[in-house]
Amino acid sequence: MPTQKTTPRIDPLTMEVVELIGTVVARYHEEYEDAAAEHTLTGAQARLLGLLSLEPLPMRRLAQKLRCEPSNVTGIVDRLETRGLVERRPDPKDRRVKLAAATAEGRQVARSLRDSLDFAREPLAGLSTAERESLRDLLQRMLEA
């Protein structure tokens, strides 16, 4: 007798958690876009600059991290380079590869952008260290599933 695979019904608690996660993500994105606009950046430019403020990266890796086409990354880097926030440099490990890197001004803008994001930081500050660790661990488990 073949077994039928049934799709489990989503219980009300799961739906409530999904809705809350969606609301948190939407509010975070809205604040991020507003903060980027205050620095005359698009959200994509701000995300790319944030990544490059941590370390120089090849264009292909940036595209993977941003989940977009390498040609889109090239356009974003071009615009940030024109503003003096990003520069291209040869990869010391493979001179055929170009790395995009934040300039000193770009790192300062990225830092200012991060500092202006209160939505994620302030509500988390209301949680104890143990609660934040628990939340982090639960989110990591969800991502690993």
Side-chain angles (χ1 to χ4, degrees):
M1 179 171 218
T3 55
Q4 280 188 321
K5 189 172 185 177
T6 60
T7 304
R9 279 184 42 113
I10 297 177
D11 62 279
L13 177 59
T14 299
M15 287 303 301
E16 184 180 4
V17 170
V18 167
E19 289 289 325
L20 288 168
I21 290 171
T23 301
V24 167
V25 169
R27 285 179 61 189
Y28 176 79
H29 279 291
E30 181 181 330
E31 181 173 320
Y32 195 85
E33 293 289 329
D34 290 346
E38 286 179 23
H39 291 85
T40 323
L41 297 169
T42 65
Q45 289 171 336
R47 284 187 292 280
L48 188 140
L49 188 58
L51 289 171
L52 293 180
S53 72
L54 302 174
E55 64 178 326
L57 291 167
M59 305 291 234
R60 187 164 305 282
R61 185 70 186 120
L62 277 169
Q64 290 169 341
K65 285 183 172 276
L66 294 172
R67 291 185 166 86
C68 67
E69 293 296 317
S71 60
N72 291 346
V73 169
T74 299
I76 296 168
V77 169
D78 287 346
R79 287 185 286 285
L80 292 173
E81 190 173 35
T82 299
R83 289 188 52 189
L85 302 176
V86 167
E87 64 185 7
R88 288 177 170 90
R89 56 173 84 142
D91 185 340
K93 297 174 190 164
D94 183 349
R95 296 191 59 80
R96 296 170 297 177
V97 175
K98 290 282 187 196
L99 297 178
T103 62
E105 183 182 355
R107 287 189 299 278
Q108 200 289 319
V109 169
R111 191 176 317 109
S112 175
L113 182 65
R114 272 192 303 275
D115 290 346
S116 68
L117 294 173
D118 295 327
F119 172 70
R121 184 176 41 250
E122 288 181 5
L124 288 173
L127 301 177
S128 70
T129 299
E131 289 170 326
R132 289 192 313 271
E133 287 172 346
S134 179
L135 178 59
R136 178 204 58 207
D137 294 346
L138 290 168
L139 291 170
Q140 284 178 336
R141 276 183 44 202
M142 286 176 65
L143 290 173
E144 292 166 359

